[in-house]
Amino acid sequence: MSRFLNEKYQKLEAYTPGEQPRDMKYIKLNTNESPYPPSQGVLDAVNSVEAANLRLYSDPECKRLKEAIAELYEVDTENIYLSNGSDDILNFSFMAFAGNGVPAAFPEISYGFYKVYAELYGLEYRKISLKEDFSVNAGDYCGINSFIVIANPNAPTGKTISEEDIRRILESNPDNVVLIDEAYVDFGGESVYPLIREYKNLLVVQTFSKSRSMAGARLGFAFGDKELISDLNRIKYSTNPYNLNRITLVAGEAAIKENSYYMDNCKRIVDTREYTTVQLKKLGFEVLDSKANFIFAKSNKIDGEELYKKLKENGILVRHFPDKKISAFIRVTIGARADMETFIEAVRKILEEK
């Protein structure tokens, strides 16, 4: 850290992304990427003609992609916000909807960026404990007069919260924005984006990174009341109007047009998730009920950190979190069936060696 860094950022603990080692070829089950490639239409859209047009600025209104998303989800374009990955939407939301006496609140065990954003903007914030089964207790969020952020399904647990509970939270905090982060919703969750017609304080955030095989394209979108979307656009146009490049825009439009391809892939991932869950349970693991493209599992035969290290030695990357409440677990991204068979066999051998 240099002596030039603003003092208010010197104690900031940055988000730690999943490791990307290059020392050998790994089976990557640590960053929740899709095992399947983008659709053919996306590959065709990212062509030399579009590359040649990179000399031109992208459309700051993202009009064509907004229209495609609006048609698929049956909403108005004024209810859609697009950004450079869903992380940018989260970032702007913490900036826009908390502070000046409005604290932020989010689950204690959840996506690590929530805490980072709260501290980045010097916000008061509250981390709310999960129940013993790692589920969100909706009652803890009712009437707390805070900017509320809940991942649904949650990460790293994969657990969901019901629409009924989300309604309770929205109705008991009418003067505060409730953000539902649906990065993993296409793997078995239930989106609450239709509720934006009923609740002006609801913002629903999704991404192309997971279910649409475009983690490297950096494309996120949000649904909300037109006034919330206008608030986000005010910040966008005050920072970077051209926040989505031309290639990402055409790739996103093509992906929406071929949505059935991606939803079929989600079904394949769900099937592989169930296979992997069954196999781990046969090995004595406790596996939480996941509606995401990953599972959260622990064994009473080996510590989570040790299993993570042993798997890495065997060329398989999974995610381990040092928090004492979840340090016994590993988070495992669901890859292709062959990758998961290799993972299961490696786990079996590691346990036998123990």
Short mmCIF file of all heavy atoms in Angstrom, two decimals, residues 224-272:
data_model
loop_
_atom_site.label_atom_id
_atom_site.label_comp_id
_atom_site.label_asym_id
_atom_site.label_seq_id
_atom_site.Cartn_x
_atom_site.Cartn_y
_atom_site.Cartn_z
N GLY A 224 -36.43 -3.21 -12.04
CA GLY A 224 -36.92 -2.38 -10.95
C GLY A 224 -37.91 -1.35 -11.44
O GLY A 224 -38.11 -1.16 -12.66
N ASP A 225 -38.54 -0.67 -10.51
CA ASP A 225 -39.40 0.46 -10.85
C ASP A 225 -38.60 1.48 -11.64
O ASP A 225 -37.40 1.65 -11.43
CB ASP A 225 -39.95 1.08 -9.56
CG ASP A 225 -40.86 2.26 -9.83
OD1 ASP A 225 -42.04 2.03 -10.18
OD2 ASP A 225 -40.40 3.42 -9.69
N LYS A 226 -39.27 2.18 -12.54
CA LYS A 226 -38.55 3.10 -13.43
C LYS A 226 -37.78 4.17 -12.67
O LYS A 226 -36.74 4.65 -13.16
CB LYS A 226 -39.51 3.74 -14.43
CG LYS A 226 -40.57 4.64 -13.84
CD LYS A 226 -41.45 5.22 -14.95
CE LYS A 226 -42.49 6.18 -14.39
NZ LYS A 226 -43.35 6.74 -15.48
N GLU A 227 -38.25 4.54 -11.47
CA GLU A 227 -37.53 5.55 -10.70
C GLU A 227 -36.22 4.98 -10.15
O GLU A 227 -35.20 5.68 -10.12
CB GLU A 227 -38.40 6.08 -9.57
CG GLU A 227 -39.57 6.93 -10.07
CD GLU A 227 -40.36 7.56 -8.93
OE1 GLU A 227 -39.99 7.34 -7.76
OE2 GLU A 227 -41.34 8.27 -9.22
N LEU A 228 -36.21 3.72 -9.71
CA LEU A 228 -34.97 3.09 -9.27
C LEU A 228 -33.98 2.96 -10.42
O LEU A 228 -32.78 3.19 -10.26
CB LEU A 228 -35.25 1.70 -8.68
CG LEU A 228 -35.94 1.62 -7.32
CD1 LEU A 228 -36.01 0.17 -6.86
CD2 LEU A 228 -35.23 2.47 -6.28
N ILE A 229 -34.49 2.56 -11.58
CA ILE A 229 -33.63 2.43 -12.76
C ILE A 229 -33.05 3.80 -13.13
O ILE A 229 -31.87 3.92 -13.50
CB ILE A 229 -34.41 1.83 -13.94
CG1 ILE A 229 -34.95 0.44 -13.57
CG2 ILE A 229 -33.54 1.76 -15.18
CD1 ILE A 229 -33.91 -0.55 -13.12
N SER A 230 -33.86 4.84 -13.01
CA SER A 230 -33.39 6.20 -13.29
C SER A 230 -32.29 6.60 -12.31
O SER A 230 -31.30 7.26 -12.69
CB SER A 230 -34.56 7.18 -13.20
OG SER A 230 -34.12 8.51 -13.41
N ASP A 231 -32.43 6.18 -11.05
CA ASP A 231 -31.39 6.47 -10.05
C ASP A 231 -30.06 5.84 -10.45
O ASP A 231 -29.00 6.47 -10.36
CB ASP A 231 -31.81 5.95 -8.68
CG ASP A 231 -33.00 6.69 -8.10
OD1 ASP A 231 -33.26 7.84 -8.51
OD2 ASP A 231 -33.68 6.11 -7.22
N LEU A 232 -30.11 4.57 -10.87
CA LEU A 232 -28.89 3.88 -11.28
C LEU A 232 -28.29 4.52 -12.53
O LEU A 232 -27.06 4.65 -12.65
CB LEU A 232 -29.18 2.40 -11.53
CG LEU A 232 -29.54 1.57 -10.30
CD1 LEU A 232 -29.96 0.16 -10.70
CD2 LEU A 232 -28.37 1.51 -9.32
N ASN A 233 -29.15 4.93 -13.46
CA ASN A 233 -28.65 5.58 -14.67
C ASN A 233 -28.00 6.93 -14.35
O ASN A 233 -27.03 7.32 -15.01
CB ASN A 233 -29.79 5.77 -15.68
CG ASN A 233 -30.01 4.54 -16.54
OD1 ASN A 233 -29.05 3.92 -17.01
ND2 ASN A 233 -31.27 4.19 -16.77
N ARG A 234 -28.51 7.62 -13.35
CA ARG A 234 -27.89 8.90 -12.95
C ARG A 234 -26.44 8.67 -12.53
O ARG A 234 -25.54 9.45 -12.89
CB ARG A 234 -28.68 9.54 -11.82
CG ARG A 234 -28.09 10.86 -11.31
CD ARG A 234 -28.92 11.38 -10.15
NE ARG A 234 -30.23 11.79 -10.61
CZ ARG A 234 -30.61 13.07 -10.71
NH1 ARG A 234 -29.79 14.04 -10.39
NH2 ARG A 234 -31.83 13.37 -11.12
N ILE A 235 -26.20 7.59 -11.78
CA ILE A 235 -24.83 7.29 -11.35
C ILE A 235 -24.00 6.81 -12.54
O ILE A 235 -22.83 7.19 -12.69
CB ILE A 235 -24.84 6.26 -10.21
CG1 ILE A 235 -25.52 6.87 -8.98
CG2 ILE A 235 -23.42 5.81 -9.87
CD1 ILE A 235 -25.62 5.94 -7.81
N LYS A 236 -24.60 5.97 -13.38
CA LYS A 236 -23.88 5.49 -14.58
C LYS A 236 -23.40 6.67 -15.42
O LYS A 236 -22.23 6.72 -15.83
CB LYS A 236 -24.80 4.59 -15.40
CG LYS A 236 -24.26 4.29 -16.80
CD LYS A 236 -25.25 3.50 -17.64
CE LYS A 236 -24.82 3.44 -19.09
NZ LYS A 236 -25.71 2.63 -19.93
N TYR A 237 -24.29 7.60 -15.71
CA TYR A 237 -23.93 8.73 -16.57
C TYR A 237 -23.05 9.75 -15.86
O TYR A 237 -22.55 10.68 -16.47
CB TYR A 237 -25.19 9.40 -17.12
CG TYR A 237 -25.80 8.65 -18.29
CD1 TYR A 237 -26.71 7.63 -18.09
CD2 TYR A 237 -25.43 8.95 -19.59
CE1 TYR A 237 -27.26 6.93 -19.15
CE2 TYR A 237 -25.97 8.27 -20.67
CZ TYR A 237 -26.88 7.25 -20.44
OH TYR A 237 -27.40 6.55 -21.51
N SER A 238 -22.85 9.54 -14.56
CA SER A 238 -21.92 10.40 -13.81
C SER A 238 -20.56 9.74 -13.65
O SER A 238 -19.64 10.34 -13.07
CB SER A 238 -22.49 10.71 -12.43
OG SER A 238 -23.73 11.39 -12.52
N THR A 239 -20.43 8.51 -14.14
CA THR A 239 -19.16 7.78 -14.03
C THR A 239 -18.67 7.32 -15.39
O THR A 239 -17.63 7.75 -15.86
CB THR A 239 -19.29 6.58 -13.07
OG1 THR A 239 -20.42 5.79 -13.47
CG2 THR A 239 -19.49 7.03 -11.63
N ASN A 240 -19.44 6.43 -16.03
CA ASN A 240 -19.01 5.88 -17.32
C ASN A 240 -20.23 5.53 -18.17
O ASN A 240 -20.76 4.42 -18.08
CB ASN A 240 -18.14 4.63 -17.10
CG ASN A 240 -17.66 4.02 -18.41
OD1 ASN A 240 -17.79 4.63 -19.46
ND2 ASN A 240 -17.12 2.82 -18.34
N PRO A 241 -20.68 6.45 -19.03
CA PRO A 241 -21.86 6.18 -19.86
C PRO A 241 -21.68 4.97 -20.78
O PRO A 241 -22.65 4.29 -21.09
CB PRO A 241 -22.02 7.46 -20.68
CG PRO A 241 -21.29 8.50 -19.91
CD PRO A 241 -20.15 7.80 -19.25
N TYR A 242 -20.44 4.72 -21.20
CA TYR A 242 -20.17 3.61 -22.12
C TYR A 242 -19.66 2.39 -21.34
O TYR A 242 -18.61 1.83 -21.64
CB TYR A 242 -19.14 4.03 -23.17
CG TYR A 242 -19.51 5.30 -23.90
CD1 TYR A 242 -18.88 6.50 -23.59
CD2 TYR A 242 -20.49 5.30 -24.89
CE1 TYR A 242 -19.21 7.68 -24.25
CE2 TYR A 242 -20.83 6.47 -25.56
CZ TYR A 242 -20.19 7.65 -25.24
OH TYR A 242 -20.52 8.81 -25.90
N ASN A 243 -20.42 1.99 -20.34
CA ASN A 243 -19.93 0.95 -19.44
C ASN A 243 -20.01 -0.45 -20.03
O ASN A 243 -19.47 -1.40 -19.45
CB ASN A 243 -20.66 1.01 -18.10
CG ASN A 243 -22.15 0.71 -18.23
OD1 ASN A 243 -22.73 0.86 -19.29
ND2 ASN A 243 -22.76 0.31 -17.13
N LEU A 244 -20.71 -0.61 -21.16
CA LEU A 244 -20.74 -1.90 -21.85
C LEU A 244 -20.15 -1.74 -23.24
O LEU A 244 -20.57 -0.87 -24.01
CB LEU A 244 -22.18 -2.41 -21.95
CG LEU A 244 -22.76 -2.98 -20.66
CD1 LEU A 244 -24.24 -3.30 -20.81
CD2 LEU A 244 -22.01 -4.23 -20.25
N ASN A 245 -19.19 -2.59 -23.56
CA ASN A 245 -18.54 -2.46 -24.87
C ASN A 245 -19.40 -3.07 -25.97
O ASN A 245 -20.34 -3.82 -25.72
CB ASN A 245 -17.15 -3.10 -24.83
CG ASN A 245 -17.22 -4.60 -24.64
OD1 ASN A 245 -17.57 -5.35 -25.55
ND2 ASN A 245 -16.87 -5.07 -23.44
N ARG A 246 -19.06 -2.79 -27.20
CA ARG A 246 -19.86 -3.22 -28.35
C ARG A 246 -19.95 -4.75 -28.46
O ARG A 246 -21.00 -5.30 -28.77
CB ARG A 246 -19.27 -2.65 -29.64
CG ARG A 246 -19.26 -1.13 -29.71
CD ARG A 246 -18.66 -0.66 -31.03
NE ARG A 246 -19.52 -1.05 -32.14
CZ ARG A 246 -20.47 -0.27 -32.68
NH1 ARG A 246 -20.69 0.94 -32.19
NH2 ARG A 246 -21.20 -0.70 -33.68
N ILE A 247 -18.84 -5.42 -28.20
CA ILE A 247 -18.82 -6.88 -28.33
C ILE A 247 -19.75 -7.52 -27.31
O ILE A 247 -20.52 -8.43 -27.62
CB ILE A 247 -17.38 -7.43 -28.15
CG1 ILE A 247 -16.45 -6.87 -29.24
CG2 ILE A 247 -17.38 -8.94 -28.17
CD1 ILE A 247 -16.77 -7.32 -30.63
N THR A 248 -19.70 -7.05 -26.07
CA THR A 248 -20.57 -7.59 -25.04
C THR A 248 -22.04 -7.36 -25.37
O THR A 248 -22.89 -8.24 -25.14
CB THR A 248 -20.22 -6.97 -23.68
OG1 THR A 248 -18.94 -7.43 -23.27
CG2 THR A 248 -21.24 -7.36 -22.61
N LEU A 249 -22.37 -6.19 -25.90
CA LEU A 249 -23.76 -5.90 -26.24
C LEU A 249 -24.32 -6.85 -27.28
O LEU A 249 -25.42 -7.39 -27.13
CB LEU A 249 -23.89 -4.45 -26.71
CG LEU A 249 -23.80 -3.37 -25.62
CD1 LEU A 249 -23.78 -1.98 -26.24
CD2 LEU A 249 -24.98 -3.49 -24.66
N VAL A 250 -23.56 -7.09 -28.36
CA VAL A 250 -24.08 -7.98 -29.41
C VAL A 250 -24.09 -9.44 -28.92
O VAL A 250 -24.98 -10.22 -29.29
CB VAL A 250 -23.26 -7.86 -30.72
CG1 VAL A 250 -23.42 -6.46 -31.31
CG2 VAL A 250 -21.80 -8.21 -30.53
N ALA A 251 -23.13 -9.80 -28.09
CA ALA A 251 -23.11 -11.14 -27.52
C ALA A 251 -24.32 -11.36 -26.62
O ALA A 251 -24.98 -12.41 -26.66
CB ALA A 251 -21.82 -11.39 -26.75
N GLY A 252 -24.64 -10.36 -25.80
CA GLY A 252 -25.79 -10.46 -24.92
C GLY A 252 -27.09 -10.57 -25.68
O GLY A 252 -27.98 -11.36 -25.32
N GLU A 253 -27.23 -9.78 -26.74
CA GLU A 253 -28.44 -9.82 -27.55
C GLU A 253 -28.62 -11.21 -28.19
O GLU A 253 -29.71 -11.78 -28.18
CB GLU A 253 -28.37 -8.75 -28.64
CG GLU A 253 -29.63 -8.61 -29.45
CD GLU A 253 -29.51 -7.54 -30.53
OE1 GLU A 253 -28.53 -6.78 -30.51
OE2 GLU A 253 -30.42 -7.48 -31.37
N ALA A 254 -27.53 -11.77 -28.70
CA ALA A 254 -27.60 -13.11 -29.30
C ALA A 254 -27.94 -14.17 -28.27
O ALA A 254 -28.71 -15.10 -28.55
CB ALA A 254 -26.26 -13.44 -29.97
N ALA A 255 -27.40 -14.03 -27.06
CA ALA A 255 -27.69 -15.00 -26.00
C ALA A 255 -29.17 -14.98 -25.63
O ALA A 255 -29.78 -16.04 -25.42
CB ALA A 255 -26.83 -14.71 -24.78
N ILE A 256 -29.75 -13.81 -25.55
CA ILE A 256 -31.18 -13.71 -25.21
C ILE A 256 -32.03 -14.36 -26.28
O ILE A 256 -33.01 -15.06 -26.00
CB ILE A 256 -31.58 -12.23 -25.00
CG1 ILE A 256 -30.97 -11.69 -23.70
CG2 ILE A 256 -33.10 -12.08 -25.00
CD1 ILE A 256 -31.50 -12.33 -22.45
N LYS A 257 -31.64 -14.18 -27.53
CA LYS A 257 -32.40 -14.77 -28.63
C LYS A 257 -32.33 -16.30 -28.62
O LYS A 257 -33.20 -16.96 -29.18
CB LYS A 257 -31.91 -14.21 -29.96
CG LYS A 257 -32.26 -12.75 -30.19
CD LYS A 257 -31.71 -12.22 -31.50
CE LYS A 257 -32.09 -10.76 -31.70
NZ LYS A 257 -31.51 -10.20 -32.96
N GLU A 258 -31.27 -16.84 -28.04
CA GLU A 258 -31.12 -18.29 -27.98
C GLU A 258 -31.25 -18.78 -26.53
O GLU A 258 -30.55 -19.69 -26.10
CB GLU A 258 -29.77 -18.69 -28.58
CG GLU A 258 -29.67 -18.38 -30.07
CD GLU A 258 -28.35 -18.82 -30.68
OE1 GLU A 258 -27.31 -18.70 -30.01
OE2 GLU A 258 -28.37 -19.27 -31.83
N ASN A 259 -32.18 -18.19 -25.81
CA ASN A 259 -32.32 -18.47 -24.39
C ASN A 259 -32.59 -19.94 -24.10
O ASN A 259 -32.14 -20.46 -23.07
CB ASN A 259 -33.44 -17.61 -23.81
CG ASN A 259 -33.48 -17.64 -22.30
OD1 ASN A 259 -32.49 -17.29 -21.65
ND2 ASN A 259 -34.59 -18.07 -21.72
N SER A 260 -33.30 -20.62 -24.98
CA SER A 260 -33.63 -22.03 -24.73
C SER A 260 -32.37 -22.89 -24.63
O SER A 260 -32.33 -23.86 -23.85
CB SER A 260 -34.56 -22.57 -25.81
OG SER A 260 -33.95 -22.49 -27.08
N TYR A 261 -31.34 -22.55 -25.42
CA TYR A 261 -30.07 -23.28 -25.35
C TYR A 261 -29.50 -23.20 -23.93
O TYR A 261 -29.06 -24.21 -23.37
CB TYR A 261 -29.07 -22.70 -26.35
CG TYR A 261 -27.63 -23.11 -26.13
CD1 TYR A 261 -27.16 -24.34 -26.60
CD2 TYR A 261 -26.74 -22.28 -25.45
CE1 TYR A 261 -25.84 -24.72 -26.39
CE2 TYR A 261 -25.42 -22.65 -25.24
CZ TYR A 261 -24.98 -23.88 -25.72
OH TYR A 261 -23.67 -24.26 -25.49
N TYR A 262 -29.53 -22.03 -23.34
CA TYR A 262 -28.95 -21.83 -22.00
C TYR A 262 -29.81 -22.48 -20.92
O TYR A 262 -29.27 -23.05 -19.96
CB TYR A 262 -28.77 -20.34 -21.73
CG TYR A 262 -27.76 -19.72 -22.66
CD1 TYR A 262 -28.18 -18.98 -23.77
CD2 TYR A 262 -26.40 -19.90 -22.46
CE1 TYR A 262 -27.26 -18.43 -24.64
CE2 TYR A 262 -25.47 -19.35 -23.34
CZ TYR A 262 -25.90 -18.62 -24.42
OH TYR A 262 -25.00 -18.09 -25.30
N MET A 263 -31.12 -22.41 -21.07
CA MET A 263 -31.98 -23.03 -20.07
C MET A 263 -31.85 -24.56 -20.12
O MET A 263 -31.93 -25.23 -19.08
CB MET A 263 -33.43 -22.60 -20.27
CG MET A 263 -33.67 -21.10 -20.05
SD MET A 263 -33.11 -20.46 -18.43
CE MET A 263 -31.55 -19.63 -18.88
N ASP A 264 -31.62 -25.11 -21.31
CA ASP A 264 -31.36 -26.56 -21.42
C ASP A 264 -30.05 -26.90 -20.71
O ASP A 264 -29.96 -27.94 -20.02
CB ASP A 264 -31.28 -26.98 -22.89
CG ASP A 264 -32.66 -27.04 -23.55
OD1 ASP A 264 -33.67 -27.04 -22.82
OD2 ASP A 264 -32.70 -27.06 -24.80
N ASN A 265 -29.05 -26.05 -20.86
CA ASN A 265 -27.78 -26.28 -20.15
C ASN A 265 -27.97 -26.21 -18.64
O ASN A 265 -27.34 -26.97 -17.89
CB ASN A 265 -26.73 -25.26 -20.59
CG ASN A 265 -26.14 -25.58 -21.94
OD1 ASN A 265 -26.28 -26.69 -22.45
ND2 ASN A 265 -25.48 -24.60 -22.54
N CYS A 266 -28.83 -25.31 -18.19
CA CYS A 266 -29.11 -25.23 -16.75
C CYS A 266 -29.70 -26.54 -16.24
O CYS A 266 -29.36 -27.00 -15.14
CB CYS A 266 -30.06 -24.07 -16.46
SG CYS A 266 -29.32 -22.43 -16.64
N LYS A 267 -30.59 -27.13 -17.03
CA LYS A 267 -31.18 -28.41 -16.64
C LYS A 267 -30.11 -29.50 -16.55
O LYS A 267 -30.14 -30.34 -15.65
CB LYS A 267 -32.26 -28.81 -17.64
CG LYS A 267 -33.49 -27.91 -17.62
CD LYS A 267 -34.48 -28.28 -18.70
CE LYS A 267 -35.66 -27.31 -18.74
NZ LYS A 267 -36.58 -27.62 -19.86
N ARG A 268 -29.17 -29.48 -17.48
CA ARG A 268 -28.07 -30.45 -17.45
C ARG A 268 -27.23 -30.26 -16.19
O ARG A 268 -26.82 -31.23 -15.53
CB ARG A 268 -27.19 -30.30 -18.70
CG ARG A 268 -27.89 -30.65 -20.00
CD ARG A 268 -27.14 -30.13 -21.20
NE ARG A 268 -25.88 -30.86 -21.42
CZ ARG A 268 -25.00 -30.49 -22.34
NH1 ARG A 268 -25.19 -29.42 -23.10
NH2 ARG A 268 -23.90 -31.20 -22.51
N ILE A 269 -26.98 -29.01 -15.83
CA ILE A 269 -26.19 -28.72 -14.63
C ILE A 269 -26.95 -29.16 -13.38
O ILE A 269 -26.35 -29.72 -12.45
CB ILE A 269 -25.84 -27.21 -14.58
CG1 ILE A 269 -24.82 -26.88 -15.68
CG2 ILE A 269 -25.31 -26.82 -13.21
CD1 ILE A 269 -24.60 -25.41 -15.90
N VAL A 270 -28.26 -28.94 -13.35
CA VAL A 270 -29.06 -29.39 -12.22
C VAL A 270 -29.00 -30.91 -12.09
O VAL A 270 -28.84 -31.45 -10.98
CB VAL A 270 -30.53 -28.92 -12.38
CG1 VAL A 270 -31.44 -29.62 -11.36
CG2 VAL A 270 -30.62 -27.41 -12.19
N ASP A 271 -29.09 -31.62 -13.21
CA ASP A 271 -28.99 -33.08 -13.17
C ASP A 271 -27.64 -33.52 -12.63
O ASP A 271 -27.56 -34.46 -11.81
CB ASP A 271 -29.20 -33.66 -14.58
CG ASP A 271 -30.65 -33.56 -15.04
OD1 ASP A 271 -31.53 -33.36 -14.19
OD2 ASP A 271 -30.89 -33.68 -16.26
N THR A 272 -26.58 -32.85 -13.08
CA THR A 272 -25.23 -33.20 -12.61
C THR A 272 -25.07 -32.83 -11.14
O THR A 272 -24.38 -33.53 -10.39
CB THR A 272 -24.17 -32.49 -13.46
OG1 THR A 272 -24.40 -32.77 -14.84
CG2 THR A 272 -22.77 -32.97 -13.10
#
